[in-house]
Amino acid sequence: MTQALETPATAEEILHTKDTAGRRIHNVLHRFPALSPLIVLILACIVFSIANNRFAKPQNLSIVLQQAAVVGSLAVGQTLVILTAGIDLSIGAIMVLASLVMAKLASEHHIAGPLALIVGILVGLAAAAINGLLVTRLKLPPFIVTLGTLSIFTAATLIYAKGQTISLNPGTFLTWTGKDLPIGQFHITVGVIMMLLLYVVFAYILRQTAWGKHLYATGDDAEAARLAGIRTRRVLLSAYVVAGAVVGITAWILVGRINGADPNAGLNANLESITAVVIGGTSLFGGRGAVVGSLIGALIVQVFDNGLALAGVDPNYQVLAVGVLVIAAVAADQWIRSVKS
């Protein structure tokens, strides 16, 4: 009994067979990069709530949100830079320098709070502009540039502050961001509200404005964007400058949180902001991501720290958990980028 020879598959049939469940999942994750970290956040909250009933109490959730305010705000600026396929290792050092400048002007030089705030934001703008100019004009790698300026801004902070912590009286303009706003048993601060507003504003800017679209295009393929008429160097520089303004606002949130300024307040803020952005689904290769994902990433880190602490887990394992999350997030991004849409 003979068998008929199988006819070769046509091109259409080959393409059709590629539409697998994995392919569909990939397409969804590619379209909605913040979806996977959101799922992780929800699952983490469920697990930690089951493990310890104190986790889901309003008082504890308030603490988690307040702890995420500074890093979450800083992650907005970091997201802008990473979307261009860059990175800013100095962003936390700039924040601390700006916070010390505004606090010292108000405390020691008796400058009015609003004016001190403006000067602090200008410091953030100037420092970020230096990074941007070195990247765009001298065409130096962002990693090397910001690694160098990290040391420079850290040294400038220590020299300016002379190693001293500056305390401000509660109720002043600069500490207003730390004001507590109770909603029943749930407590948030003005700083938390400001962080959320930053995300709302930049989510709109990135998706609905020409500048936002140019930012994505430049990060995805700078040469193609240049050929399409986008002034890529100007876009890159503007990303750093706008991030600097965000850092200045974050410095205000930091001052309100600690009622002053401390040269050692943001020792890990540089890496924490990058961690939040990466876990939040923004690609380190640029051109893909959503700013809201960075907020989810910042919350994931705080949820894991808080939940593991309540469970009595050794702090070293808390650091281990965050490291695993970062590697998993980068691996997921590589997988998403490796499958062509």
Side-chain angles (χ1 to χ4, degrees):
M1 186 175 178
T2 60
Q3 292 181 339
L5 293 176
E6 294 183 359
T7 57
T10 64
E12 291 182 358
E13 290 172 337
I14 292 173
L15 291 174
H16 181 70
T17 58
K18 290 183 178 180
D19 189 21
T20 62
R23 174 79 177 188
R24 289 194 292 271
I25 292 173
H26 160 267
N27 289 335
V28 171
L29 293 179
H30 186 81
R31 290 177 58 196
F32 305 102
L35 181 59
S36 53
L38 178 60
I39 294 172
V40 172
L41 177 62
I42 294 172
L43 290 176
C45 289
I46 293 173
V47 170
F48 288 130
S49 297
I50 294 173
N52 192 312
N53 58 10
R54 287 186 297 165
F55 177 83
K57 289 185 177 180
Q59 298 91 331
N60 186 63
L61 295 178
S62 300
I63 293 173
V64 170
L65 196 56
Q66 291 172 27
Q67 289 175 335
V70 173
V71 173
S73 300
L74 206 60
V76 174
Q78 189 71 259
T79 302
L80 299 178
V81 175
I82 290 180
L83 281 174
T84 66
I87 197 166
D88 192 346
L89 299 175
S90 67
I91 198 166
I94 297 174
M95 173 190 68
V96 177
L97 177 59
S99 70
L100 279 162
V101 167
M102 61 179 70
K104 198 167 185 177
L105 286 176
S107 176
E108 297 183 10
H109 301 285
H110 308 293
I111 302 296
L115 181 57
L117 172 63
I118 292 173
V119 174
I121 293 176
L122 289 176
V123 168
L125 280 168
I130 291 173
N131 286 338
L133 288 171
L134 290 173
V135 170
T136 58
R137 302 302 177 184
L138 298 185
K139 297 183 179 180
L140 299 176
F143 181 89
I144 300 301
V145 167
T146 57
L147 181 62
T149 55
L150 165 62
S151 298
I152 294 172
F153 296 143
T154 300
T157 298
L158 295 174
I159 293 170
Y160 181 74
K162 298 178 181 178
Q164 298 178 348
T165 299
I166 300 172
S167 298
L168 297 175
N169 295 324
T172 62
F173 177 81
L174 289 179
T175 60
W176 176 70
T177 55
K179 182 179 179 181
D180 186 60
L181 302 172
I183 305 174
Q185 293 183 321
F186 191 81
H187 291 254
I188 62 173
T189 62
V190 173
V192 171
I193 295 175
M194 289 175 62
M195 174 192 70
L196 296 176
L197 286 175
L198 282 174
Y199 277 96
V200 171
V201 170
F202 279 94
Y204 175 82
I205 289 174
L206 288 175
R207 291 299 180 184
Q208 302 299 327
T209 67
W211 182 77
K213 296 180 188 302
H214 291 174
L215 201 70
Y216 277 101
T218 301
D220 187 50
D221 191 330
E223 181 60 18
R226 186 186 67 81
L227 293 174
I230 297 174
R231 297 181 177 180
T232 54
R233 288 205 303 179
R234 181 177 294 183
V235 171
L236 284 173
L237 179 59
S238 67
Y240 283 91
V241 172
V242 174
V246 173
V247 172
I249 296 172
T250 306
W252 187 20
I253 296 174
L254 175 64
V255 170
R257 176 159 177 75
I258 65 177
N259 282 324
D262 185 346
N264 299 313
L267 289 177
N268 299 317
N270 304 305
L271 294 179
E272 288 175 348
S273 66
I274 297 171
T275 299
V277 175
V278 172
I279 292 177
T282 297
S283 174
L284 284 171
F285 300 96
R288 193 185 71 85
V291 69
V292 68
S294 301
L295 173 59
I296 297 171
L299 290 174
I300 287 174
V301 173
Q302 294 302 327
V303 163
F304 267 78
D305 284 347
N306 184 275
L308 293 173
L310 289 177
V313 176
D314 189 301
N316 293 323
Y317 288 100
Q318 298 175 28
V319 178
L320 173 66
V322 174
V324 171
L325 282 172
V326 171
I327 293 174
V330 174
D333 175 60
Q334 289 278 53
W335 173 71
I336 291 171
R337 293 179 69 90
S338 67
V339 184
K340 301 300 182 182
S341 298

